[in-house]
Amino acid sequence: MEALAGAASSSTLPVCHPPSRVAAQSLALRPSRCGPLRAAGAGGGSGKDDAQAAPAANGSPVLKLKSDSSQNGVLPITADKSQKASSTSVSTDSSGSRAGLFRTPISGGVQSATSAHGLPPPALAVRNLMEQARFAHLCSVMSGMHHRRAGYPFGSLVDFANDSMGHPIFSLSPLAIHTRNLLADPRCTLVVQVPGWSGLSNARVTIFGDVYPLPAEQQEWAHKQYVAKHQQWASQQWGNFYYYRMHNISDIYFIGGFGTVAWIDVKEYETIQPDKIAVDGGDLQSLKELNAIFSKPLREVLSSEGEVDDAALISVDSKGIDIRVRQGAQFNIQRLAFDVPHKVETLEEAKKALHKIIKDKQQIK
C-alpha cells in the first residue's frame, strides 16, 4: 500500500481549472400560499446588512436586501426571532434511562452524544461506514458539452471500494455522464449512507474531493480492491470500465444521529483504521447471519418500550449495533451498545455480546 501511495502521488494527473463563477446579482423568491414575498433591489436598502421586512401596498412583506461582498454575493436573510427551532428532548423512564435510543439530535454536542450512546468517534464511524456501504451518490458538475445543463450538479448512483487510507475507488464507464463530467472537472462529492435504511435519521457522510483516473499500472490493483469488497459481482464488470480514485479529499461532513454532526479532520480520517468487525463482519452475509439469530429476540426486547413489528440489524461496529425498527408503518433506527470490557472485533464476539444484551434486558423485564 505504501508503494501504491507513492506511485499515486508521483503520477502526473491532469489539472482542471474550474469555470469562472459569476456572483448572484439578484434573488428571485417564489410566492407562497401565505402571500407573496417580494425582494427589493439593493438600491432601495436601508443601509443595513441584514434583511428587513417592510409592508407593501397590498399588505405583503417586502424583503430589503443588501449584498455583502464578504459573503461572495450571498444575500443574508434574517428570520423572525419568534421562529426558533425547538430543541429535541429524549424521554426517560422512572429509572432515568432513555426510553428509545432513536437517531434524533440531543443537546450536548458530538462528544457527549458519542459517549452517551456508545458510538465510535466520528472519524472512526465514517471509516466504518465507508467499509460497510457498497453504493453511494456521486455528485459531479455537468460539463460544457451538456449546453444549458452545464454547471449544474449531477447526481448518480455508483458502487465503490476503498484503499487503505479510506479514499474511494470507482469503476466507471467512459459512456457515463458522470465520467465525462469528472474528466472535465474532477471536483465532486460522494454521499454515503448506512446500508439498509434511507430515512433522514440515517447515518451518512458527504466526502468532498477530486477524482482522477488511475494510471494503467494501478488498474489491476484497483480491480482486486473491488473484487474483495463486491466479490464475484465486480469481476463480471471488468469490460470497458476504468478505475478512478478520489486522490484528494478536501472535506468530510458527517451526520451520525444522536446529535453527532461534525466536520471530520481529513488527516484523522486517513490515518485511523476502521474496526475489524466493520471490515470483516459488516458485509451482507454476516448481517444476514446475525439477523437469523437475533432479529426475533431483539424485537421482543425492544417491544418493552412499545409494540415492535420488525427489528433488523443493519450495521455493527466494535461498540454496538444499529437496528432498523418497524412499528406499524413507521420506521426508525435504534442503537444498542455492547456491554463488554473490550472492543468487539469478530463475528463470534458480536454474537456473545448480543446474547449478553438480550439476557440482561430479559432479566430487567
Side-chain angles (χ1 to χ4, degrees), residues 10 20 39 45 86 102 108-110 117 162 171 177 191 214 219 233 263 265 269 281 284 288 299-300 303 314 327 342:
S10 62
S20 60
S86 59
F102 300 150
V110 174
H117 297 285
N162 307 293
S171 178
I177 291 178
V191 182
L214 283 167
Q219 290 292 309
W233 179 81
W263 289 95
D265 182 78
Y269 169 81
L284 295 177
K288 183 178 180 181
R299 185 183 67 212
E300 295 172 353
S303 291
I314 59 173
Q327 295 175 297
H342 57 83

Side-chain angles (χ1 to χ4, degrees), residues 168-183:
I169 302 169
F170 307 97
S171 178
L172 305 179
S173 166
L175 301 178
I177 291 178
H178 50 247
T179 305
R180 299 178 183 182
N181 291 342
L182 292 171
L183 290 174

Side-chain angles (χ1 to χ4, degrees), residues 258-289:
F258 301 124
T260 308
V261 179
W263 289 95
I264 307 299
D265 182 78
V266 176
K267 293 298 182 185
E268 183 183 3
Y269 169 81
E270 292 176 331
T271 55
I272 199 169
Q273 291 301 306
D275 286 333
K276 187 175 185 299
I277 191 168
V279 179
D280 301 334
D283 62 312
L284 295 177
Q285 187 58 39
S286 298
L287 291 175
K288 183 178 180 181
E289 183 177 343

Side-chain angles (χ1 to χ4, degrees), residues 43-348:
S46 62
K48 296 181 180 180
D49 291 338
D50 294 336
Q52 296 181 348
N58 61 359
S60 62
V62 176
L63 287 182
K64 295 184 178 181
L65 307 174
K66 182 177 180 181
S67 62
D68 184 354
S69 59
S70 65
Q71 298 297 324
N72 297 325
V74 177
L75 302 179
I77 299 179
T78 304
D80 191 327
K81 292 182 180 180
S82 64
Q83 298 178 347
K84 293 182 179 179
S86 59
S87 59
T88 303
S89 60
V90 180
S91 60
T92 58
D93 56 22
S94 58
S95 64
S97 62
R98 289 179 176 81
L101 303 183
F102 300 150
R103 282 196 182 277
T104 52
I106 62 174
S107 62
V110 174
Q111 297 303 326
S112 61
T114 299
S115 174
H117 297 285
L119 298 171
L124 177 57
V126 175
R127 283 301 302 267
N128 289 342
L129 173 54
M130 293 295 288
E131 292 295 334
Q132 294 169 337
R134 302 172 67 201
F135 300 93
H137 293 281
L138 177 67
C139 301
S140 55
V141 181
M142 289 292 272
S143 65
M145 68 179 294
H146 297 287
H147 307 294
R148 73 179 188 279
R149 304 180 187 92
Y152 281 87
F154 178 78
S156 52
L157 185 64
V158 297
D159 57 329
F160 71 98
N162 307 293
D163 65 10
S164 60
M165 296 175 65
H167 286 235
I169 302 169
F170 307 97
S171 178
L172 305 179
S173 166
L175 301 178
I177 291 178
H178 50 247
T179 305
R180 299 178 183 182
N181 291 342
L182 292 171
L183 290 174
D185 186 342
R187 296 175 303 165
C188 64
T189 59
L190 187 71
V191 182
V192 186
Q193 296 176 305
V194 167
W197 177 247
S198 58
L200 292 179
S201 60
N202 183 26
R204 65 262 192 195
V205 62
T206 302
I207 299 183
F208 298 72
D210 305 304
V211 172
Y212 295 98
L214 283 167
E217 61 270 18
Q218 293 181 13
Q219 290 292 309
E220 184 61 34
W221 166 82
H223 180 61
K224 290 179 180 179
Q225 310 309 306
Y226 251 74
V227 172
K229 184 166 188 175
H230 297 278
Q231 284 123 28
Q232 184 62 29
W233 179 81
S235 63
Q236 297 173 354
Q237 65 159 25
W238 182 245
N240 68 339
F241 281 70
Y242 203 76
Y243 287 100
Y244 291 66
R245 175 179 180 265
M246 186 176 283
H247 285 277
N248 172 58
I249 295 178
S250 57
D251 265 311
I252 301 173
Y253 182 65
F254 177 56
I255 300 177
F258 301 124
T260 308
V261 179
W263 289 95
I264 307 299
D265 182 78
V266 176
K267 293 298 182 185
E268 183 183 3
Y269 169 81
E270 292 176 331
T271 55
I272 199 169
Q273 291 301 306
D275 286 333
K276 187 175 185 299
I277 191 168
V279 179
D280 301 334
D283 62 312
L284 295 177
Q285 187 58 39
S286 298
L287 291 175
K288 183 178 180 181
E289 183 177 343
L290 290 174
N291 275 309
I293 301 172
F294 297 104
S295 179
K296 184 177 180 180
L298 284 173
R299 185 183 67 212
E300 295 172 353
V301 166
L302 295 172
S303 291
S304 62
E305 300 171 356
E307 188 63 28
V308 171
D309 299 303
D310 183 59
L313 282 80
I314 59 173
S315 70
V316 57
D317 55 62
S318 63
K319 291 192 171 186
I321 58 171
D322 288 331
I323 309 168
R324 183 187 65 218
V325 177
R326 181 175 68 84
Q327 295 175 297
Q330 295 185 342
F331 289 84
N332 62 69
I333 301 296
Q334 295 199 28
R335 172 80 177 182
L336 288 180
F338 294 139
D339 185 17
V340 293
H342 57 83
K343 287 185 176 182
V344 172
E345 295 186 346
T346 67
L347 192 61
E348 292 305 315

